[in-house]
Each structure stands twice: as structure tokens, then as C-alpha cells.
Amino acid sequence: MNNEPMMHFSNESDPTEALRAAFRRHASGVAVITTTDTDGNPVGFTATSMTSLGANPPLSTFNVARGASSWPAISAASYVAIHTLGARNLALAQRMAADHTLRFTPDDWSTGPKGVPILHEATAVLIGRVREIHFVESNAIVVVDILEGLLGEPDDSLLYSQRAYYTPGNKLE
Amino acid sequence: MNNEPMMHFSNESDPTEALRAAFRRHASGVAVITTTDTDGNPVGFTATSMTSLGANPPLSTFNVARGASSWPAISAASYVAIHTLGARNLALAQRMAADHTLRFTPDDWSTGPKGVPILHEATAVLIGRVREIHFVESNAIVVVDILEGLLGEPDDSLLYSQRAYYTPGNKLE
């Protein structure tokens, strides 16, 4: 097999198509990032890019397009709340990825530590300070120092893959 | 409920414990990043932080600890290969997270575009140029320009959650 390594693959020379095709074969955990805008209104969005950047000290990163409705608030924010989602949060994940004027309903959030909006039904919330933001083309990488956390009821983790939501299935061994 | 928002949560004031607890409730897709070291030997590691940073232009990011065995090679690399994994790659994911001297076997990889090691059984491979690296504490955020891709046989996406591997289960609707 080693003599014909590329028999395993078909080439995709267009890099944008290659990226899209590869990510159709990759699943992501789903988070919601929230903050407040300069008028004090809650702002948030569904993120599939949220990940850990080491635990000592505890750091997290997420990516955001600088054309996104949440970008002005994120770019000016001192603090954010990173929510991990479970199966029960499917509607929340969908709403936080749709019309940005309809993302918050009066009863599903409250102001939490550092003034950030906390979505009540999340499985966990990390309260963080925005440490640095790196611009790359029209995108931004946001690095967050984790300050404290809130632990909600556990649930099956919410996943996003191929434009649909899932929960983990069989454990592989 | 809005009057007692925090009844939904228990507080975790230790930020490292908070991060760990939140990530126990978050699942991640699994990728393997490879490159060659300065002696031309293949180097690679399993990454749960690999994500997209926009499709136009196509960009990806991943995080790596600067104490990791792969870091010297990654820090010096011009090119990397980002592999998306499927259920059939469970043993590969485990091997690429274990003893770094045993990660590559003679028959499961070949040298691909830009000289990067290509793991034959991956579901897809993105060939990328290292664009920039940001240091944060003892970690690094690596930003990659995607140049082209290789598409393998599709498979159920490989997930990592709570120190175990899964595939996506039920689609939620």
C-alpha cells in the first residue's frame, strides 16, 4: 500500500472546497458565547470553535467572524460567558445561530458574575476575561482567561455536524 | 425562575476545576496534525482543538502545549497536514496521543504534498501552510492557511468526550 499512498484519496485542489469537505467529516461540540453590548443589552452566538487552551492557567479560545452581529460587542467586551450545551439546549443553539434580534427571551437568562448574561439551562458556564484578540483576515481569535464557573444539570453533550445537531452515540473501545 | 437565576447552577470558584468540569460536558471532534521534524522524521499528535477560522480564505486553527513532544517540530514547520478522523481511526487517535516514539508505523503513512506525512486511513486531509503562531502562557495557537485537500473514504466522525471516544448518535430535530 505504501507504494501507492494516494490511492486512498481523491485530490481537492480548491482550498475552500477542501476545507468544507473536510469539515463535513468532522463533528464539533456546541457552545454559546454571551456578553453585553455597550448599551447593556445581552448579545450572544452559537460557536462550534470553542476549545480549551490549557488548564494551568485555565484558558479558552473561540473564533468569530468580524462581520458577525455579535462582533461589535465581543470586540469591546471585558468579560464573556462561555456556555456548554446539552441535548436539552437544541432550541437554544438554533436560536443563538438565527436572527440576532430574537436570541434572548425574557425568562431564560439572568445577569451573572462580571455582569455577563447567563443562560439558565446550559450544562455549564465559564466566566472569563477577554485576554487578547488576534485578527486573521476577516476573522478574530478570542483568548479568554477563565475566572470561575457555574455547573448546571449534566446532559448529553450537544454536537454539530453536517448542518445538524447530534448527541454522542456509541462509546468506542 | 428569573428571580432566582442561580438556582440552576452550583458555583465552582476554582477556575481550573471550573474549566475541567465544563469540558467534561463538552464533546470535541478529533483530528491528527502531522509535520516533519528538522531531520525529516514524521511527527504528529491527536488534537481536539482543531477548528475552522473561516472559509474565504480557508483557514484553520489548532492549539498545542509548548511542552508537547511535537512542539519543536510544529514550531519550526512551514507546512502541516490536518487529518479528520472517523470511527475506523480509533487506534490511530489513541496511538497519536500516546508514546511519541511509537506514533508512526511503516505502512500507514506516506509523504504527501509539501512533504508532509499523510496518514492513509484518515477521512480527509488538509494540507496547510503555517501562517502565524500566538504564544499564550505555555501554549500556542497555530493558524494555518489551507492550500489543498485530500478526501478519503467517509466514516462516522470520531469524537472525544470524558476521556473516551464516540461517534455521533441520534440526530436531534
Side-chain angles (χ1 to χ4, degrees):
Chain A
M1 283 204 298
N2 211 7
N3 294 325
E4 297 202 45
M6 294 309 131
M7 68 178 283
H8 299 263
F9 296 105
S10 60
N11 188 263
E12 175 51 74
S13 59
D14 181 283
T16 294
E17 288 307 309
L19 183 92
R20 289 182 172 143
F23 276 90
R24 281 195 290 272
R25 297 167 187 211
H26 189 75
S28 303
V30 182
V32 167
I33 315 296
T34 61
T35 192
T36 49
D37 68 15
T38 52
D39 295 326
N41 298 311
V43 170
F45 66 100
T46 301
T48 57
S49 61
M50 195 281 289
T51 188
S52 165
L53 181 66
N56 288 299
L59 294 155
S60 175
T61 63
F62 61 86
N63 301 337
V64 56
R66 290 191 283 146
S69 62
S70 300
W71 170 247
I74 294 289
S75 68
S78 297
Y79 299 100
V80 295
I82 296 168
H83 302 74
T84 57
L85 301 193
R88 66 175 180 265
N89 303 124
L90 171 63
L92 175 66
Q94 292 170 323
R95 201 167 70 238
M96 285 283 173
D99 182 345
H100 70 93
T101 66
L102 302 173
R103 291 184 184 174
F104 289 85
T105 62
D107 292 333
D108 71 347
W109 68 281
S110 308
T111 299
K114 306 297 183 189
V116 290
I118 304 296
L119 296 157
H120 298 160
E121 298 299 330
T123 56
V125 190
L126 294 169
I127 312 298
R129 179 188 290 114
V130 177
R131 177 190 178 110
E132 55 195 63
I133 300 181
H134 299 285
F135 289 1
V136 185
E137 301 283 350
S138 61
N139 316 288
I141 302 168
V142 182
V143 181
V144 177
D145 283 310
I146 302 305
L147 304 177
E148 65 177 299
L150 302 170
L151 303 182
E153 283 294 310
D155 195 359
D156 294 332
S157 302
L158 190 64
L159 302 169
Y160 188 74
S161 182
Q162 303 207 67
R163 300 175 184 272
Y165 292 91
Y166 297 82
T167 51
N170 292 330
K171 185 171 176 172
L172 304 180
E173 301 183 272
Chain B
M1 284 204 297
N2 211 8
N3 295 325
E4 297 202 45
M6 293 310 130
M7 68 179 283
H8 299 262
F9 297 105
S10 61
N11 188 264
E12 175 51 74
S13 59
D14 181 284
T16 294
E17 287 307 310
L19 182 94
R20 289 183 172 142
F23 276 90
R24 280 195 290 272
R25 298 167 186 211
H26 189 75
S28 303
V30 181
V32 167
I33 315 297
T34 61
T35 191
T36 50
D37 68 15
T38 51
D39 295 326
N41 298 312
V43 170
F45 65 99
T46 300
T48 57
S49 61
M50 195 280 290
T51 187
S52 165
L53 181 66
N56 288 299
L59 294 155
S60 175
T61 63
F62 60 86
N63 301 337
V64 57
R66 291 191 282 146
S69 61
S70 299
W71 169 247
I74 293 289
S75 69
S78 297
Y79 299 100
V80 295
I82 296 168
H83 302 74
T84 58
L85 301 193
R88 67 175 179 264
N89 303 124
L90 171 64
L92 175 64
Q94 292 171 323
R95 202 168 69 237
M96 285 283 173
D99 182 345
H100 70 93
T101 65
L102 303 173
R103 291 185 183 174
F104 290 84
T105 61
D107 291 333
D108 70 348
W109 69 279
S110 308
T111 299
K114 306 298 184 188
V116 290
I118 303 296
L119 296 157
H120 298 160
E121 297 299 330
T123 56
V125 189
L126 294 169
I127 312 298
R129 180 188 291 114
V130 177
R131 178 191 177 110
E132 55 195 63
I133 299 180
H134 298 286
F135 289 1
V136 185
E137 300 282 351
S138 61
N139 316 289
I141 302 167
V142 182
V143 182
V144 177
D145 283 310
I146 303 305
L147 304 177
E148 65 178 298
L150 302 170
L151 303 182
E153 282 294 310
D155 194 358
D156 294 332
S157 301
L158 190 63
L159 302 169
Y160 188 75
S161 182
Q162 303 206 66
R163 301 174 183 272
Y165 291 92
Y166 296 82
T167 51
N170 291 330
K171 186 170 176 173
L172 304 180
E173 298 183 275

